[in-house]
């Protein structure tokens, strides 16, 4: 484990949601679309803290499902790991429930894997290989 990569926040409108973060001193890094996740991602940075605003691009987007169920707010925390495959094995052996038992490629083109919220007290945790 090396540190916090970013906090993912679900929103219905990136432009609208970004206004407050920009006022807080955050700056836009970039905006990308992840067709795989049916989501538009705006990355904002404030010092070492990165927030990713996530807006669904389709009604069957997982982010749309989250918004319908819980409303806008924190969707996940992302933690950087050195050796993804090793970490996943370690976690599985410790009885941690993984959504992804194998790494897949995330928004930043890096390997990612999600831990199931049932293993983390209701928090969706993303592992991201740096
Ligand atoms: Co993320």
């Amino acid at each position: 484990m090396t540190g916090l990569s970013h906090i993912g926040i679900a929103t219905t409108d990136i432009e609208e949601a970004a206004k407050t973060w920009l006022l807080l001193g955050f700056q836009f890094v970039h905006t990308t679309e992840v067709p795989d996740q049916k989501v538009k991602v705006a990355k904002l940075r404030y010092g070492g803290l990165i927030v990713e605003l996530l807006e669904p691009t389709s009604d069957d987007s997982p982010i749309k499902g989250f918004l319908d169920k819980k409303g806008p707010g924190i969707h996940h925390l992302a933690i950087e790991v050195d050796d993804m495959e090793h970490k996943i094995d370690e976690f599985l052996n410790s009885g941690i429930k993984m959504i992804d038992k194998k790494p897949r490629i995330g928004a930043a083109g890096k390997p990612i894997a999600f831990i199931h919220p049932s293993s983390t007290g209701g928090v969706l945790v993303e592992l991201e290989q740096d």
Side-chain angles (χ1 to χ4, degrees):
M1 298 276 176
T2 55
L4 181 68
S5 165
H6 61 269
I7 300 169
I9 297 175
T11 178
T12 53
D13 184 342
I14 277 180
E15 298 297 318
E16 199 52 40
K19 283 180 187 168
T20 308
W21 295 99
L22 294 172
L23 282 172
L24 288 172
F26 281 74
Q27 293 189 320
F28 263 115
V29 179
H30 60 74
T31 304
T32 46
E33 218 173 295
V34 188
D36 184 43
Q37 296 281 304
K38 295 173 176 129
V39 76
K40 202 167 106 182
V41 183
K43 188 172 173 180
L44 294 105
R45 176 191 287 276
Y46 178 75
L49 181 58
I50 291 171
V51 158
E52 285 187 359
L53 301 175
L54 311 163
E55 180 190 314
T57 55
S58 155
D59 275 350
D60 58 350
S61 164
I63 296 299
K64 172 78 167 96
F66 178 90
L67 286 166
D68 288 348
K69 219 164 112 188
K70 297 189 173 174
I74 293 181
H75 176 260
H76 67 272
L77 299 183
I79 295 166
E80 292 169 350
V81 297
D82 292 326
D83 185 348
M84 179 72 81
E85 306 236 4
H86 177 80
K87 279 289 170 201
I88 292 176
D89 283 348
E90 198 181 298
F91 291 165
L92 286 171
N93 288 335
S94 309
I96 292 173
K97 199 171 159 194
M98 297 294 303
I99 292 174
D100 301 300
K101 291 185 179 69
K102 291 248 173 284
R104 56 191 166 94
I105 299 302
K110 297 172 180 174
I112 61 159
F114 282 96
I115 301 176
H116 198 280
S118 64
S119 285
T120 51
V123 181
L124 180 61
V125 176
E126 175 186 1
L127 306 173
E128 188 183 76
Q129 186 156 309
D130 204 18

